[in-house]
Amino acid sequence: AVVAKAPVTLVLYQCSSVGFDPMKIKLIGFQEGLWFEIVNRNDRVDLIIKSLDDYSQYWNQVKNSYTGDYPPQESTDNFPEFSWEFVSRWISFRKNPNKGPFTEEDIHSIASNNHISWFGLGKPEDVIQMAESIKVINPKYKMLLYWNSESYWGSDIDTFQEEWLEPDVVGTGNRPSYDHSIPEMRSWWIQHAVEMDQNTVIDGVFADNTREPAETDKSQMIQLLAESLPDNSLKMGNFLRQRDANGNRWRMNYEDGSYFENQHVGPVNQPEHESIIVSMQLAREASWKRKLVMWNGSRRNCGCGNIPPSKIPATCVGFMNVNEAPEQKILDDLNLSLAEYFMVAEEFSYFSFNISPDASCERWRWDSSDLPQFSKPLGRPLGPPLQIGNTFTRHFEHLSVKVNLDTSETTFYWESGPSQPPTVSSVPSPSVTSSPVSLMMAVVTLGASGVDTVVPSGDCPATVTKELLIDGSAFTRAVVAKA
């Protein structure tokens, strides 16, 4: 696809600030790999279009370090099944072996409602047994070995040697840390994962705690593991992170995709909301290049059990020490996370949501499968998302959705819902580009040069009350160098 490699500014309206209802604007016919934003100027309204691999408009740490590129995925034959019928999901779950085994109901729910997950707690035979149990129910399920690159955690492996740990050094959660300077340790870490992957029920490896510069022993170990796995094995991990230099995009040269977490967490000086916006762009760039995206929509990790109220983390107030599920709080979390996910959703991007991954807790904490949003029909996207300030909107065949990052407000118009506005049903599919399509709709058609805009005659209102359809079918601006 031909994409603009530096932002292109197109004038939509030659007048001062125009008020838009973002839900009434649709983008159709555009090539893949583009980001769209409407900006009100003093004397005009602009549509800004940029490539998804152009991060030059963000703050200095992002702008200066997000350089280079990575190639598209060569094959997706080993990816999980994906469907636009409903939200395609993955799940994070774990259970302390001392808490007893997973129940048949647990395993059936995991296998029936999700496409992919990882598991690594317990002995190797326990991991294999879990994968076997899931695949009896869903043979197409993709199960990855969870493999922590920082800490010796969650596993009991008889080939491991204690002298491979760093003395008096602990990692995440005060877990013992590997000494990556020891070649034998690095070789063992790679070999164990490769041997586990050779089992027919293990479909690849998920590497966690990977945030290191490319030249370190640890990063070289992670790369060598990916290069040691066969082509049909999934190579996934906790890789892309917006706050790190270049977002760790260099890892996509040899990995199949990335898990996303802590999307709202950035350096102290980063502009408000930029962390989630850059995370969205990282995920959209990865999907455009046919990488697998595992988007974590969980906004907190609040386990079960009673603890002194003074020790409850601020993010878990109302979720811990409760006798029943805080349904409204869960709904508020889900709506915001799901709306953000819909702005990045493409083929082979999967969504997960829970309050805690701990399956020894009540089911409502770790398994969100029965939430009604996941049984509503979705359909293919009618176009890419649109940004206006810190508000994002997008339209699917059966859903129109908006999220305001400033207020955390979300709007969902499901096709079968009672609040569905009648004009949404008049939106054409991406293959229909004739105009005008409705008396209730204004049409802006972008010309082949990218600067010829056809604006409805005399239409320069203080507020756009009609639906505004922006048709990019003829937009073929030539590639230009990044600014």
Side-chain angles (χ1 to χ4, degrees), residues 358-374:
D358 189 349
S360 62
C361 294
E362 312 95 317
R363 181 171 296 277
W364 62 262
R365 288 189 191 272
W366 68 274
D367 184 4
S368 60
S369 300
D370 61 349
L371 294 178
Q373 287 84 346
F374 297 133

Side-chain angles (χ1 to χ4, degrees), residues 8 69 83 94-95 149 186 208 215 222 228 353 384 417:
V8 177
D69 201 358
S83 171
R94 62 173 180 258
K95 193 172 189 178
S149 66
R186 301 196 302 270
D208 199 10
E215 64 276 5
I222 294 167
S228 301
F353 175 84

Side-chain angles (χ1 to χ4, degrees), residues 34-52:
L34 297 172
W35 182 281
F36 300 85
E37 181 178 7
I38 288 180
V39 178
N40 276 307
R41 311 292 188 187
N42 291 332
D43 58 348
R44 69 182 193 275
V45 179
D46 290 340
L47 173 65
I48 299 176
I49 305 175
K50 70 174 184 178
S51 174
L52 286 177

Side-chain angles (χ1 to χ4, degrees), residues 124-360:
E125 54 266 34
D126 296 332
V127 176
I128 293 170
Q129 183 180 9
M130 171 59 72
E132 289 173 340
S133 299
I134 289 175
K135 295 214 172 198
V136 166
I137 300 168
N138 182 359
K140 295 182 178 180
Y141 197 97
K142 297 293 184 178
M143 175 60 81
L144 308 180
L145 168 71
Y146 175 87
W147 200 219
N148 198 301
S149 66
E150 175 198 67
S151 308
Y152 184 61
W153 171 63
S155 301
D156 184 7
I157 304 170
D158 56 14
T159 56
F160 178 72
Q161 298 182 27
E162 292 291 330
E163 57 264 30
W164 293 341
L165 298 175
E166 284 198 88
D168 303 319
V169 175
V170 294
T172 306
N174 292 322
R175 299 166 189 135
S177 291
Y178 295 124
D179 186 343
H180 297 97
S181 68
I182 302 175
E184 292 80 7
M185 176 267 141
R186 301 196 302 270
S187 296
W188 167 84
W189 188 86
I190 294 168
Q191 186 61 30
H192 176 78
V194 169
E195 290 176 356
M196 288 291 290
D197 178 68
Q198 290 171 351
N199 193 289
T200 56
V201 294
I202 302 296
D203 298 294
V205 178
F206 177 89
D208 199 10
N209 274 318
T210 64
R211 297 172 61 197
E212 289 259 337
E215 64 276 5
T216 66
D217 287 336
K218 178 179 171 182
S219 282
Q220 294 296 311
M221 178 185 76
I222 294 167
Q223 178 174 350
L224 186 54
L225 169 59
E227 294 170 347
S228 301
L229 293 170
D231 290 342
N232 63 349
S233 292
L234 279 169
K235 305 157 190 69
M236 293 292 295
N238 194 344
F239 298 134
L240 296 176
R241 189 73 67 96
Q242 76 86 30
R243 69 178 299 160
D244 293 344
N246 200 20
N248 300 323
R249 295 163 66 242
W250 46 273
R251 286 207 188 274
M252 294 299 98
N253 286 303
Y254 51 82
E255 304 286 357
D256 290 330
S258 181
Y259 158 78
F260 285 80
E261 69 174 4
N262 296 324
Q263 300 95 318
H264 299 82
V265 179
V268 173
N269 296 328
Q270 189 170 22
E272 187 177 15
H273 304 308
E274 190 177 282
S275 56
I276 177 61
I277 294 173
V278 177
S279 295
M280 287 178 180
Q281 186 169 336
L282 279 170
R284 291 193 59 214
E285 179 191 6
S287 291
W288 168 44
K289 296 175 179 177
R290 307 294 288 168
K291 297 293 184 180
L292 195 160
V293 169
M294 300 174 72
W295 186 268
N296 185 1
S298 302
R299 309 187 82 85
R300 61 198 78 244
N301 185 351
C302 305
C304 51
N306 290 318
I307 65 174
S310 61
K311 301 211 181 264
I312 296 178
T315 56
C316 292
V317 173
F319 292 88
M320 298 184 72
N321 291 5
V322 294
N323 295 322
E324 58 185 21
E327 294 182 358
Q328 187 58 51
K329 290 181 178 292
I330 294 173
L331 179 62
D332 292 342
D333 267 12
L334 175 61
N335 281 343
L336 187 52
S337 292
L338 194 56
E340 291 169 350
Y341 163 75
F342 282 140
M343 302 306 148
V344 308
E346 300 292 348
E347 187 178 21
F348 303 126
S349 61
Y350 304 83
F351 178 73
S352 176
F353 175 84
N354 57 31
I355 304 303
S356 168
D358 189 349
S360 62

Side-chain angles (χ1 to χ4, degrees), residues 78-121:
N78 58 337
F79 282 16
E81 284 195 328
F82 181 89
S83 171
W84 287 111
E85 184 177 4
F86 305 103
V87 176
S88 285
R89 289 184 289 135
W90 69 279
I91 185 172
S92 172
F93 64 91
R94 62 173 180 258
K95 193 172 189 178
N96 188 318
N98 296 328
K99 299 290 186 179
F102 286 83
T103 67
E104 291 186 10
E105 183 182 4
D106 293 339
I107 294 172
H108 191 276
S109 182
I110 292 169
S112 302
N113 295 299
N114 304 279
H115 296 283
I116 181 173
S117 59
W118 61 69
F119 190 70
L121 292 181

